[in-house]
Amino acid sequence: MSTKSLSLNIILLLCTFALWPIKATPVSNVQNNATGRMAIMDNDWSSTGFIPYLMALDAGIDVLALTTCTGGSWQPQLTLHALATLEAGNLSCIPVVPGALYPLIQTYDRFQAWEAVHGSLYWQGAFAPENVTAEALGSDPTGGDPNRIVASAFVEGYPTTKADTTTNAASFMVDMVHKYPDQVSIYAAGALTNVALAVRMDPNFASLAKELVVMGGYVDDNLLQADGSLLQSDINSDINLIMDPEAAKIALTASFPSMTIAGNVANQVYPTQEFLDDVYEVKNNYTSLFHKYYGTSFPFWDETAAALMIDPSLSLNSTSASVTDVPELEIVFYTSGTGPLASLKLQLDSVAFKMGSLNGTSEQLPIIDISNPDSHTGDRLLQAASEWGFVYIKNQGLGFTPEILDRTFGLSRQFFKSPTAEKAECAIGPDDKGWSSPYAEVLDPENQTEGDFKEALNFGEFANGKAQQPLPKSLTTHEAEISRFADLCHALCIRILDLVAIGLKVDDAEGGQAWFSSRHNPSKGPSGTILRLCYYPALELKTNTSELSDPLVRANSHTDFGSLTLLFQSPSQSGLEILNPSSSWSPVAVHPPSTENDSLPPIVMNIGDLLSRWTNGVLKSTVHRVNIPRNRKEDRYSIAYFCHPVADTRMVPVPSKLIGEKEGAKNGEKVLTAKEHLTKRLAEVYGWKDEPTT
């Protein structure tokens, strides 16, 4: 699959809709068209899920219906999304036929019980616990009552048309393949429940269909780790099998003449912000929804499967495999490998629940461009911060340049290579400023017996370009450069805090967009804000045992203390790991997919404890650590900026309807100041008893 070819096709497709409408043919009027092809498109449809059926229509395929299934959310909500997105393009002549509300056997309780035994899955779809906060922010419903509708999720507009309830998805599929034998492609980009029901309803259903095209199916995930990229072994994709494993086995062992599984290749094709902008050069309902809500965090999963249904020649490589129960059946796997893979044998009994988070797989955090902040950017940032606590900030238009970053990292190396005695002259004190020597910090007091093997240099705030602390000799002539870098960091934090306030819909009468940033204004008083240069020396290996290839935790598990943290990393010096929803550690790539060609890696931003507490836990402060292989011969350098409010800022509830009143505050709990919060956390790390001054 060529990323460029698929992206270009989508641009042309969406922009075409601005020039002339593609008219779908009602089922009752289907005749042989130019291609002679028909499709039933089964999916867990969403606000931006329209591209697959637009691709099919543009290719001259008669879309007989959109059928719906429970997957990313519950079927009733997703049925309404299908209706609404069709209305956006004046395509309501395509019927929407609801499918099964529940999987064949799987239930919410059974799913949760499986997770209790085997560990949490990264992506849970409709079986994720109910999240009222996320729904208030516009997410589709999960958990709870499957028939409830969350109207705020319909950014495409709430539909006025109705679904066809005179039949159901499985019955409709069976009827259509009998009416048009060998002509109907079954496109399944969600759970395979409806397909499995059709197979069980009619023993001839599969053989009468033209083909089955499936999005999902990392049945060869171990081989992918050796042949492709670990990042591409994405832990999101196989919710389509996990959601209904019994249906997956029924569908994937049925006698379809042809079966295409697009799981592997689909994770190779990512949108970029530049691509979204190119699409939006032509304005219409679809390009607007696509530009505003599609984002750059996830690949073109369903779109890739649709592209392969339309034109299998788009794939550069494919591999055939046979299914155990039907040895004569040929299944095509599309892969990103450089050559054909060995024959694969599907182990469908064991694979259905095998696709959780792969240990060591990098997290694909959201990548957000805030160079032109607006309400949509605020919503995206808030969603990412409430779900992950970590997010990539695209490093463009923010004032940082390769030269500035190179120079600042150079100053860091210069300081840490200076004599120990010279560094000790500015040793860290209770004000949290100065040099932190190796083993000085205990970030995880409950589990650590000694401090972390790393060094750091903390700069407090600068006033008019002047440091408010003694500087080490190696850096005294570079005060202005360091101050300018700190100023850029603070300006970025203010921009992010403004976007957080926009996302939280803070009332203008209460301060609106400036609610947070006004409390981080240095002109109003000192704060605990710190610019930190970090140094992780390479270990001097004195033995050649195999254990030396094991990673060594160099900054133990912790959360950050303040409002926001910015992290700048060198391209070749990874090490950051976050504790993911599956309670396992996942590396955070320095250059995530779609940023490899950027002049600078994105900045990693994470929420600190103070801002999480301030928002009553709506924003997530995520546990993280630095984990580096023992045998890495290269020193690791990073730069962190810890942003704190003005010291006397009281942590009163944020005036937002998205944040509930704090229970502690109602029970008479003391409202801490920012200084009191920081004092408590620093005492835990350094063992200080005296209150630090800010």
Side-chain angles (χ1 to χ4, degrees):
M1 166 67 65
S2 166
T3 302
K4 184 176 181 180
S5 64
L6 177 59
S7 299
L8 179 60
N9 288 342
I10 292 176
I11 288 179
L12 295 174
L13 167 70
L14 293 178
C15 293
T16 295
F17 267 78
L19 304 178
W20 51 273
I22 294 178
K23 295 182 178 179
T25 306
V27 176
S28 58
N29 296 329
V30 168
Q31 298 175 356
N32 290 331
N33 57 23
T35 65
R37 299 181 63 185
M38 304 171 193
I40 297 171
M41 306 191 74
D42 188 73
N43 203 353
D44 47 353
W45 302 99
S46 67
S47 296
T48 56
F50 43 78
I51 295 176
Y53 64 73
L54 295 185
M55 295 172 72
L57 292 171
D58 192 54
I61 296 175
D62 281 317
V63 177
L64 302 180
L66 305 185
T67 55
T68 63
C69 59
T70 286
S73 181
W74 298 109
Q75 177 265 105
Q77 177 89 358
L78 305 182
T79 296
L80 292 174
H81 276 306
L83 292 166
T85 58
L86 286 170
E87 288 182 20
N90 194 28
L91 294 171
S92 297
C93 54
I94 299 176
V96 174
V97 182
L101 179 59
Y102 293 103
L104 298 184
I105 298 176
Q106 187 75 283
T107 64
Y108 177 86
D109 290 339
R110 185 173 181 262
F111 187 91
Q112 299 297 326
W114 186 93
E115 287 192 305
V117 174
H118 299 285
S120 297
L121 292 169
Y122 176 85
W123 191 268
Q124 302 166 306
F127 289 148
E130 185 174 356
N131 188 331
V132 176
T133 299
E135 291 177 16
L137 293 171
S139 293
D140 288 317
T142 57
D145 178 7
N147 289 296
R148 76 185 189 282
I149 302 300
V150 177
S152 61
F154 291 90
V155 295
E156 70 274 35
Y158 199 83
T160 58
T161 51
K162 302 296 182 182
D164 181 1
T165 56
T166 62
T167 184
N168 59 69
S171 297
F172 183 85
M173 290 178 181
V174 171
D175 290 344
M176 289 300 104
V177 298
H178 278 276
K179 187 173 184 179
Y180 307 108
D182 306 319
Q183 298 180 67
V184 181
S185 297
I186 306 297
Y187 166 89
L192 290 163
T193 311
N194 293 331
V195 178
L197 287 170
V199 170
R200 284 292 185 256
M201 288 172 61
D202 184 348
N204 297 316
F205 163 69
S207 61
L208 288 173
K210 174 181 172 64
E211 63 181 340
L212 174 65
V213 178
V214 176
M215 172 52 227
Y218 275 103
V219 293
D220 61 332
D221 62 319
N222 290 327
L223 185 56
L224 182 66
Q225 293 181 54
D227 188 70
S229 163
L230 272 176
L231 183 60
Q232 302 309 326
S233 191
D234 193 286
I235 48 185
N236 286 357
S237 288
D238 274 297
I239 188 63
N240 290 347
L241 299 190
I242 295 169
M243 181 60 64
D244 195 342
E246 291 79 17
K249 180 171 183 178
I250 291 170
L252 296 178
T253 56
S255 55
F256 289 96
S258 171
M259 194 181 298
T260 300
I261 297 179
N264 296 2
V265 72
N267 263 9
Q268 312 298 314
V269 190
Y270 275 84
T272 64
Q273 189 60 48
E274 180 183 7
F275 173 67
L276 299 179
D277 293 340
D278 287 344
V279 169
Y280 197 52
E281 287 183 5
V282 176
K283 307 293 192 295
N284 62 47
N285 289 341
Y286 287 131
T287 61
S288 178
L289 286 168
F290 184 71
H291 182 259
K292 192 170 184 179
Y293 297 107
Y294 197 94
T296 58
S297 299
F298 300 108
F300 285 123
W301 282 315
D302 299 350
E303 295 83 358
T304 303
L308 292 171
M309 176 183 72
I310 294 165
D311 184 4
S313 69
L314 285 172
S315 176
L316 301 179
N317 295 289
S318 65
T319 298
S320 297
S322 60
V323 179
T324 303
D325 294 352
V326 192
E328 72 278 7
L329 174 64
E330 183 180 84
I331 299 182
V332 178
F333 287 81
Y334 290 101
T335 176
S336 62
T338 56
L341 303 178
S343 291
L344 304 174
K345 187 176 181 181
L346 301 185
Q347 302 296 329
L348 290 168
D349 288 316
S350 62
V351 78
F353 270 115
K354 185 179 178 182
M355 312 304 177
S357 176
L358 295 176
N359 199 19
T361 299
S362 295
E363 288 294 354
Q364 178 54 43
L365 300 172
I367 305 170
I368 300 180
D369 184 352
I370 66 170
S371 57
N372 293 301
D374 55 19
S375 60
H376 170 58
T377 308
D379 291 341
R380 287 194 62 215
L381 183 63
L382 186 68
Q383 184 69 37
S386 61
E387 181 177 356
W388 295 92
F390 272 76
V391 64
Y392 288 113
I393 302 295
K394 200 168 182 66
N395 198 352
Q396 293 181 357
L398 304 176
F400 299 98
T401 65
E403 294 74 21
I404 289 175
L405 266 297
D406 288 345
R407 181 63 177 161
T408 308
F409 274 109
L411 293 176
S412 178
R413 286 188 289 271
Q414 180 176 313
F415 167 75
F416 289 114
K417 294 303 181 183
S418 62
T420 299
E422 182 178 315
K423 292 185 284 189
E425 291 177 359
C426 55
I428 197 167
D431 61 357
D432 198 28
K433 301 170 187 175
W435 175 60
S436 176
S437 59
Y439 306 110
E441 295 183 356
V442 180
L443 294 176
D444 188 7
E446 293 184 4
N447 300 302
Q448 280 185 257
T449 57
E450 65 176 357
D452 296 326
F453 181 50
K454 68 177 189 295
E455 297 180 37
L457 177 61
N458 288 2
F459 298 96
E461 292 175 300
F462 290 75
N464 299 317
K466 299 295 183 181
Q468 304 302 293
Q469 68 193 77
L471 292 180
K473 294 177 181 178
S474 61
L475 299 179
T476 52
T477 60
H478 304 288
E479 184 176 39
E481 293 177 75
I482 300 169
S483 176
R484 282 196 295 271
F485 188 85
D487 288 343
L488 287 173
C489 292
H490 188 73
L492 174 55
C493 287
I494 292 300
R495 185 180 297 197
I496 293 171
L497 289 166
D498 283 346
L499 286 168
V500 170
I502 291 172
L504 285 172
K505 311 293 189 295
V506 176
D507 191 273
D508 288 341
E510 299 285 351
Q513 174 179 322
W515 198 90
F516 290 109
S517 57
S518 64
R519 289 161 171 77
H520 291 74
N521 186 344
S523 67
K524 295 184 177 181
S527 76
T529 295
I530 291 292
L531 171 65
R532 162 171 278 209
L533 307 181
C534 305
Y535 173 47
Y536 302 86
L539 294 173
E540 295 182 8
L541 304 182
K542 298 181 180 180
T543 178
N544 195 27
T545 67
S546 60
E547 292 181 357
L548 294 175
S549 62
D550 296 334
L552 177 67
V553 177
R554 303 292 293 278
N556 270 272
S557 57
H558 65 285
T559 54
D560 291 341
F561 306 161
S563 297
L564 304 174
T565 300
L566 306 178
L567 178 66
F568 301 84
Q569 305 177 90
S570 294
S572 63
Q573 298 182 346
S574 59
L576 175 65
E577 296 182 342
I578 66 173
L579 193 64
N580 64 31
S582 301
S583 298
S584 59
W585 292 102
S586 294
V588 176
V590 177
H591 260 303
S594 80
T595 71
E596 295 91 339
N597 297 322
D598 291 354
S599 59
L600 288 171
I603 301 165
V604 178
M605 186 279 290
N606 65 280
I607 301 300
D609 294 340
L610 187 144
L611 191 56
S612 180
R613 178 187 176 95
W614 216 347
T615 58
N616 205 16
V618 170
L619 301 186
K620 183 178 181 180
S621 182
T622 298
V623 176
H624 54 284
R625 69 183 186 183
V626 175
N627 202 24
I628 303 176
R630 296 173 188 262
N631 59 357
R632 180 185 285 179
K633 298 180 180 180
E634 181 184 17
D635 295 336
R636 180 182 187 265
Y637 294 87
S638 62
I639 302 170
Y641 185 81
F642 302 103
C643 184
H644 290 255
V646 174
D648 62 2
T649 301
R650 299 178 70 248
M651 312 311 298
V652 296
V654 180
S656 167
K657 293 180 180 179
L658 299 180
I659 297 174
E661 185 178 359
K662 296 184 181 182
E663 292 298 323
K666 289 194 295 185
N667 294 330
E669 180 187 78
K670 178 185 175 182
V671 177
L672 295 177
T673 64
K675 179 179 179 179
E676 290 168 337
H677 167 82
L678 179 59
T679 298
K680 180 176 180 292
R681 294 305 308 275
L682 289 175
E684 294 170 354
V685 171
Y686 292 103
W688 292 328
K689 295 182 180 180
D690 294 331
E691 182 176 306
T693 59
T694 56

